[in-house]
């Protein structure tokens, strides 16, 4: 069965510094992986997705993620954090082509 | 509409009461999903519709939960005899095509259900 593990429940960074949100996956075959962001009182929004094309995936708002099969990881990064990036981030794997399996989430705090 | 709309946004129910949660997907979207998000957790899959057909209801926690999409557009999630453990945010999502591999799921803001 597919699953994802988000290694940090909270990450705190200063504005302008890099962001790293960690995610490991478990899958018996090549997975399709996503990152979603959830701002307070807003719906979940897709940041980026990996579907076995390029291993480095670029998303919206300057985020990107790299699929590393050898490490079973799909970490989310951004070179420079902005205050508006403060939100909950979910790493997601797809099961049976339609069922999204969410991680437990990482809350990103951005200090001014 | 511009996005997925869910109503009500907030619902307080007394234990034992029946509730109905509505989802208006983006017009023309084939797929519709319901997820349950408990406090401090990631969303968990409840059920999947392709047009009016409910293809997967394996995530519904008990037979008190029932979902329908009779005309392949609006969907309703009904919970009978609510219990405190049903307290959660219920999220609806829709996508243009079948499944999720080649299309993007758009989520509504959710309905926060509190059972007292």
């Amino acid at each position: 069965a597919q699953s994802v593990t988000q290694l940090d429940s909270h990450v705190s960074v200063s504005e302008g510094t890099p962001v790293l949100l960690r995610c490991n996956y478990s899958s018996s075959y090549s997975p399709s992986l996503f990152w979603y962001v959830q701002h307070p009182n807003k719906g979940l929004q897709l940041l980026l997705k990996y579907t076995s094309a390029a291993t480095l995936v670029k998303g919206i708002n300057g985020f990107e993620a790299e699929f590393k099969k050898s490490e079973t990881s799909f970490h989310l990064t951004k070179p420079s954090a902005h205050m508006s990036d403060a939100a909950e981030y979910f790493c997601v794997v797809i099961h049976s082509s339609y069922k999204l399996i969410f991680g437990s989430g990482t809350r990103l705090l951005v200090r001014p | 509409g511009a996005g997925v709309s869910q109503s009500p946004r907030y619902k307080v129910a007394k234990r034992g009461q029946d509730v109905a949660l509505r989802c208006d997907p983006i017009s023309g979207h084939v797929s519709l999903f319901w997820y349950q998000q408990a406090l401090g957790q990631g969303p968990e899959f409840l059920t999947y519709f392709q047009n009016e057909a409910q293809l997967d209801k394996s995530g519904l926690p008990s037979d008190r939960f029932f979902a329908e999409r009779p005309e392949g557009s609006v969907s309703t999630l009904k919970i009978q005899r609510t219990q405190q453990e049903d307290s959660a945010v219920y999220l609806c999502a829709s996508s243009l095509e079948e499944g999720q591999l080649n299309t993007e799921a758009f989520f509504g803001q959710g309905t926060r259900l509190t059972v007292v």
Side-chain angles (χ1 to χ4, degrees), chain A residues 2-44:
Chain A
Q2 291 101 313
S3 66
V4 288
T5 301
Q6 292 186 245
L7 302 174
D8 306 291
S9 59
H10 293 80
V11 169
S12 180
V13 301
S14 297
E15 191 176 19
T17 64
V19 175
L20 170 63
L21 305 183
R22 299 183 294 164
C23 173
N24 286 352
Y25 69 88
S26 174
S27 177
S28 53
Y29 50 85
S30 184
S32 293
L33 294 161
F34 306 73
W35 276 97
Y36 276 84
V37 62
Q38 188 175 40
H39 290 273
N41 296 318
K42 290 191 176 181
L44 284 157

Side-chain angles (χ1 to χ4, degrees), chain B:
Chain B
V4 177
S5 178
Q6 293 186 245
S7 60
R9 287 292 316 282
Y10 303 91
K11 176 68 178 177
V12 178
K14 291 185 177 179
R15 192 157 53 102
Q17 185 180 355
D18 297 349
V19 298
L21 311 180
R22 178 186 170 102
C23 173
D24 283 83
I26 295 173
S27 178
H29 276 200
V30 168
S31 296
L32 185 143
F33 310 85
W34 284 97
Y35 287 82
Q36 180 191 56
Q37 186 174 19
L39 188 64
Q41 302 295 319
E44 292 190 354
F45 172 84
L46 292 178
T47 187
Y48 166 46
F49 288 87
Q50 193 178 106
N51 296 307
E52 69 279 2
Q54 188 174 23
L55 299 188
D56 187 340
K57 56 180 181 179
S58 63
L60 297 176
S62 75
D63 58 8
R64 296 187 294 104
F65 286 71
F66 172 77
E68 61 182 4
R69 194 188 185 197
E71 298 178 357
S73 177
V74 171
S75 177
T76 304
L77 176 66
K78 297 180 179 178
I79 309 173
Q80 296 178 322
R81 306 181 302 282
T82 52
Q83 303 295 316
Q84 282 194 318
E85 62 261 29
D86 300 336
S87 296
V89 176
Y90 291 85
L91 299 170
C92 177
S94 70
S95 60
L96 182 61
E97 300 175 5
E98 301 165 8
Q100 300 255 28
L101 283 178
N102 300 311
T103 185
E104 178 180 348
F106 293 86
F107 282 80
Q109 291 182 268
T111 294
R112 182 178 297 278
L113 173 65
T114 304
V115 180
V116 298

